[in-house]
Amino acid sequence: GQEEAVLEEVSRALAGEFASTSGRGFSVPFLRMMQRLHKLFPDPEKLSAQLSWSHYLILMDVEDARARQWYLEKAVSWIFYKI
Protein backbone atom coordinates (compact mmCIF):
# COMPACT_ATOMS: atom_id res chain seq x y z
CA GLY A 1 0.00 0.00 0.00
CA GLN A 2 1.29 3.34 1.10
CA GLU A 3 4.69 2.08 2.27
CA GLU A 4 5.31 0.50 -1.12
CA ALA A 5 4.42 3.78 -2.86
CA VAL A 6 6.78 5.72 -0.59
CA LEU A 7 9.61 3.25 -1.22
CA GLU A 8 9.06 3.48 -4.97
CA GLU A 9 9.13 7.28 -4.79
CA VAL A 10 12.31 7.26 -2.67
CA SER A 11 13.89 4.75 -5.05
CA ARG A 12 13.21 6.97 -8.05
CA ALA A 13 14.41 10.09 -6.25
CA LEU A 14 17.67 8.49 -5.12
CA ALA A 15 18.34 6.97 -8.53
CA GLY A 16 17.75 10.38 -10.12
CA GLU A 17 19.90 12.18 -7.56
CA PHE A 18 22.83 9.80 -7.92
CA ALA A 19 22.48 8.95 -11.62
CA SER A 20 25.78 10.68 -12.33
CA THR A 21 27.62 8.25 -10.04
CA SER A 22 25.85 5.04 -10.97
CA GLY A 23 22.08 5.30 -10.61
CA ARG A 24 22.16 1.79 -9.25
CA GLY A 25 21.55 0.36 -5.82
CA PHE A 26 18.33 2.16 -5.01
CA SER A 27 15.72 -0.39 -6.03
CA VAL A 28 12.79 -1.06 -3.71
CA PRO A 29 14.20 -4.49 -2.72
CA PHE A 30 17.54 -2.86 -1.89
CA LEU A 31 15.82 -0.19 0.21
CA ARG A 32 13.97 -2.97 2.06
CA MET A 33 17.32 -4.64 2.82
CA MET A 34 18.62 -1.31 4.12
CA GLN A 35 15.54 -1.03 6.35
CA ARG A 36 16.19 -4.53 7.65
CA LEU A 37 19.84 -3.71 8.33
CA HIS A 38 18.75 -0.68 10.35
CA LYS A 39 16.25 -2.76 12.35
CA LEU A 40 18.85 -5.41 13.17
CA PHE A 41 21.72 -2.97 13.74
CA PRO A 42 20.03 0.25 14.93
CA ASP A 43 23.25 1.75 16.32
CA PRO A 44 25.53 2.69 13.40
CA GLU A 45 28.41 3.02 15.85
CA LYS A 46 28.31 -0.75 16.32
CA LEU A 47 28.71 -1.48 12.61
CA SER A 48 32.21 -2.34 11.52
CA ALA A 49 33.76 -0.57 8.56
CA GLN A 50 35.90 -3.68 8.17
CA LEU A 51 32.89 -5.67 6.97
CA SER A 52 31.31 -5.27 3.57
CA TRP A 53 27.65 -5.10 2.63
CA SER A 54 27.92 -8.78 1.68
CA HIS A 55 29.03 -9.65 5.21
CA TYR A 56 26.02 -7.84 6.63
CA LEU A 57 23.66 -9.58 4.20
CA ILE A 58 24.85 -12.90 5.61
CA LEU A 59 24.65 -11.67 9.21
CA MET A 60 21.08 -10.47 8.65
CA ASP A 61 20.05 -14.08 8.00
CA VAL A 62 21.09 -15.07 11.54
CA GLU A 63 17.82 -14.87 13.47
CA ASP A 64 19.17 -15.02 17.03
CA ALA A 65 20.48 -11.57 18.08
CA ARG A 66 23.17 -12.97 20.38
CA ALA A 67 24.40 -15.37 17.73
CA ARG A 68 24.38 -12.57 15.15
CA GLN A 69 26.51 -10.41 17.45
CA TRP A 70 28.90 -13.31 18.06
CA TYR A 71 29.33 -13.89 14.32
CA LEU A 72 29.84 -10.16 13.79
CA GLU A 73 32.62 -10.07 16.38
CA LYS A 74 34.25 -13.22 15.00
CA ALA A 75 34.15 -11.90 11.44
CA VAL A 76 35.79 -8.63 12.49
CA SER A 77 38.45 -10.40 14.56
CA TRP A 78 39.17 -12.81 11.67
CA ILE A 79 39.64 -9.90 9.27
CA PHE A 80 42.04 -8.20 11.70
CA TYR A 81 43.88 -11.50 12.16
CA LYS A 82 44.37 -11.88 8.41
CA ILE A 83 45.86 -8.37 8.04
Side-chain angles (χ1 to χ4, degrees):
Q2 187 176 358
E3 181 182 349
E4 188 69 21
V6 169
L7 285 174
E8 288 175 9
E9 183 178 334
V10 170
S11 173
R12 281 191 302 275
L14 288 171
E17 178 74 22
F18 296 102
S20 62
T21 55
S22 73
R24 299 176 49 202
F26 299 109
S27 66
V28 171
F30 184 76
L31 293 175
R32 287 199 185 283
M33 286 188 288
M34 290 172 61
Q35 280 182 318
R36 188 165 175 234
L37 176 73
H38 177 69
K39 287 178 185 175
L40 294 174
F41 301 96
D43 184 0
E45 295 293 322
K46 294 186 179 180
L47 295 176
S48 173
Q50 301 303 109
L51 299 181
S52 69
W53 174 246
S54 298
H55 291 111
Y56 283 103
L57 287 175
I58 294 168
L59 287 168
M60 288 190 302
D61 284 338
V62 178
E63 292 187 24
D64 181 83
R66 287 179 42 185
R68 187 172 44 253
Q69 185 61 36
W70 184 86
Y71 283 114
L72 172 69
E73 292 168 7
K74 291 300 175 188
V76 171
S77 68
W78 186 81
I79 288 171
F80 281 122
Y81 176 76
K82 297 293 279 183
I83 292 176

